[in-house]
Amino acid sequence: MTEIRNIVILTGAGVSAESGIDTFRSEGGIWEQHRVEDVATPEAYARDPDLVLRFYDMRRAAIQTKVPNAAHLALARLEAAWPRHITVVTQNVDDLHERAGSQNVIHMHGEHLNAWCTTCDTRTRWTGTLADRPPCPACGSKTLRPDIVWFGEIPYRMDEIQAALARADLFVSIGTSGAVYPAAGFVRLARERGAHTLELNLDRSQGSAWFHETRLGRASEVVTAWVDDVLR
Ligand code: APR
């Protein structure tokens, strides 16, 4: 392995599981409780906005009662101590990486704590509800939607992510099933550009074969142990 300078860390729902936030595809996960087509597509929102807004209001309220776990804290500790670039690209829409202290976080699938006005395109930090159709603080229109990338929409900040992957010496994927693209393809992009690739997960992801190395276990344990190794 070449000397590690720049690190890209991709996280998924598994990193927040031990904080009490449901994953999507585990037994009893969010996509067993709700159908994607009912709550997580632009078509669903056009058809039944009340249902979609209530679903996200519930999730936005829930994440605010949760706290970061040892895995989030370990990643923040690594970033604070690391002399070169660390980019955390997260598919998660909670704010637990930030609350743990991570600074360089890209929310490629959006954020629960933002509301997006489809009239004036302003994003506003939002902790309350949207189903009651509050006015946009910027333009007054009652057209705020969750700032969440739904299925069929394009993830955010892809140019920055591609650039970070291209200069990564180490790519680490944590707590994601590898079921959703483009995130599931990042391991291949990083590997093609010469990065060492490491998977930390409870179970092997769908793209597990693309990783040079896999360490299985709960994020609170495997991520903490890996950060200790890197900083030793
Ligand atoms: N520690 C580590 N990994 C865990 C833990 C844990 N405590 N608990 C579960 N996992 C792993 C599971 O084994 C699984 O591989 O986390 C992964 C969660 O997978 P998904 O539920 O599919 O979540 P994710 O990969 O983040 O989903 C990607 O799908 O619906 C969309 O937009 C949503 O961003 C999400 C995307």
Side-chain angles (χ1 to χ4, degrees):
M1 199 191 332
T2 54
E3 188 201 345
I4 302 170
R5 294 178 306 264
N6 300 323
I7 305 177
V8 174
I9 297 167
L10 172 69
T11 65
V15 81
S16 294
E18 291 164 76
S19 294
I21 299 179
D22 289 340
T23 62
F24 293 94
R25 295 174 183 78
S26 316
E27 222 182 292
I30 293 170
W31 298 148
E32 272 189 13
Q33 302 167 41
H34 305 270
R35 285 166 14 117
V36 168
E37 312 82 66
D38 291 340
V39 294
T41 65
E43 293 78 10
Y45 184 57
R47 195 169 53 237
D48 192 347
D50 287 334
L51 176 75
V52 173
L53 292 174
R54 279 199 309 271
F55 171 74
Y56 286 97
D57 283 353
M58 224 167 57
R59 307 261 307 141
R60 190 178 313 104
I63 62 145
Q64 293 177 71
T65 67
K66 312 298 182 192
V67 293
N69 65 55
H72 299 105
L73 293 169
L75 294 177
R77 178 160 58 89
L78 177 63
E79 184 182 330
W82 195 250
R84 301 296 286 268
H85 288 287
I86 292 206
T87 309
V88 175
V89 179
T90 188
Q91 299 168 90
N92 297 346
V93 290
D94 64 52
D95 62 338
L96 296 184
H97 283 305
E98 286 89 343
R99 277 199 268 149
S102 287
Q103 310 258 327
N104 195 16
V105 183
I106 297 180
H107 281 274
M108 64 179 292
H109 290 169
E111 295 179 65
H112 274 316
L113 298 184
N114 272 352
W116 172 26
C117 177
T118 53
T119 302
C120 72
D121 201 29
T122 300
R123 286 172 168 83
T124 307
R125 185 176 157 79
W126 207 266
T127 53
T129 51
L130 292 174
D132 49 338
R133 303 297 203 287
C136 167
C139 77
S141 304
K142 296 190 170 189
T143 50
L144 293 173
R145 61 162 265 188
D147 190 14
I148 300 287
V149 176
W150 288 323
F151 285 91
E153 296 183 321
I154 296 169
Y156 296 154
R157 299 172 66 180
M158 285 303 296
D159 290 351
E160 282 172 76
I161 296 171
Q162 306 261 11
L165 289 169
R167 66 168 187 236
D169 307 295
L170 175 62
F171 172 81
V172 187
S173 169
I174 302 174
T176 174
S177 61
V180 175
Y181 281 80
F186 291 169
V187 60
R188 261 151 58 191
L189 291 177
R191 192 175 167 142
E192 276 162 21
R193 302 299 290 260
H196 184 74
T197 54
L198 167 66
E199 169 169 53
L200 305 175
N201 207 11
L202 196 57
D203 311 296
R204 284 184 180 278
S205 65
Q206 294 184 19
S208 198
W210 293 103
F211 290 88
H212 291 106
E213 204 188 328
T214 295
R215 301 187 195 173
L216 299 180
R218 290 149 60 98
S220 59
E221 289 157 17
V222 287
V223 175
T224 307
W226 169 69
V227 167
D228 289 344
D229 275 358
V230 174
L231 293 180
R232 188 168 289 139

